[in-house]
Amino acid sequence: MPACEEYLELISRYVDNDLSADEAEALFEHLAHCPGCSEALSSFDELRMMTRETTNDVPEQLRRGVMASVDAAKRRPFYAR
Amino acid sequence: MPTEESYIEQAKNGDRDAFETLVKQYEKRVYHFVLKFLRDPEDAMDISQETFLKVYRSLNLFRGQSAFSTWVFSIAHNLCIDFVRKQKRRGLHLPRVNEDDPEMQALRDPKHDPEAVFEKHETVREIDRALGAIKPDLREIFLLREVAGLQYQEIADLLEIELGTVKSRIARARSALAQELHLLRNNSASDASNDTKER
């Protein structure tokens, strides 16, 4: 069952903790009897979880490279920077 | 405990360690924002480094009119957009699906449980493919929210769009991604069932 178009933004804002108490209450009332929107909420939560899970590591050479360039710039005389 | 503002001030005064602390603070988010935007690990490394060097060289221009994070990601975002434009001019088309990003490289470490490695590999593939299938403006806003971790107002400032547009576009991005994931999973399931029948 597809989610209701008019509730998608509320669901998305709920994931981002952006709803007022009234908006949250209206959303929960709707979710209680709308499987499509409940499924949309689960998918949005899952997307967040998947994104976090896949953005954990960063190559060490990134910071090393940046700091090596910073150090090299510091060693250059000011007129050559 | 020192605040981000104090590190920024120290870095402006030439304190190398303070700048390195700022890099540490942002490296993960900047790198993955760029990687998921450009979808190529080598390009992502180059553009992420360029982002931090630009931050370093322009630190004195940062006057705190916006959040530091907004400023850092506006630099990363502009460099990504320029890079994509240059690639297009050269006739090179972004993006290829990235199935060899550092998440996967880190997972090749033998200390990882093979089952967990497989699961994570699948997650990376799924999210990358879904991101590659949605419209660029939706992908961009999703990455600014979920990978860069920017707030709605920060995204509105960075993209120079209305706050209401940010909220609705993020909702559309999530909805489009959820649909893509659903399709991908259905396709994989039907491929697997066809394989079984053929045997």
Side-chain angles (χ1 to χ4, degrees), chain A residues 26-68:
Chain A
L27 175 63
F28 283 127
E29 265 177 37
H30 177 75
L31 289 174
H33 57 80
C34 181
C37 285
S38 300
E39 200 182 307
L41 175 58
S42 308
S43 330
F44 289 4
D45 279 337
E46 187 193 8
L47 276 173
R48 168 158 294 178
M49 203 189 66
M50 287 173 82
T51 312
R52 289 197 177 155
E53 203 182 311
T54 58
T55 52
N56 280 330
D57 295 322
V58 63
E60 280 173 22
Q61 68 261 38
L62 170 57
R63 196 178 343 130
R64 261 206 317 265
V66 170
M67 294 317 295

Side-chain angles (χ1 to χ4, degrees), chain B residues 107-123:
Chain B
L107 281 170
R108 291 197 191 104
D109 187 330
K111 72 175 184 270
H112 286 98
D113 164 27
E115 206 171 313
V117 170
F118 177 77
E119 273 178 27
K120 191 155 181 180
H121 187 256
E122 285 303 296
T123 309

Side-chain angles (χ1 to χ4, degrees), chain A residues 58-59 61-63 65-67 69, chain B residues 19 23 26-38 40-57 72-73 75-77 79-80 83 102:
Chain A
V58 63
Q61 68 261 38
L62 170 57
R63 196 178 343 130
V66 170
M67 294 317 295
S69 300
Chain B
F19 182 70
V23 176
Y26 283 91
E27 62 183 351
K28 215 184 270 184
R29 289 193 286 154
V30 165
Y31 177 74
H32 285 285
F33 172 75
V34 176
L35 177 64
K36 291 208 180 312
F37 201 108
L38 302 179
D40 181 281
E42 276 178 37
D43 295 337
M45 178 59 70
D46 291 346
I47 299 296
S48 302
Q49 291 202 355
E50 208 177 324
T51 299
F52 285 115
L53 292 174
K54 198 160 184 184
V55 166
Y56 179 73
R57 286 193 295 264
V72 170
F73 281 101
I75 291 174
H77 179 251
L79 287 172
C80 285
F83 183 85

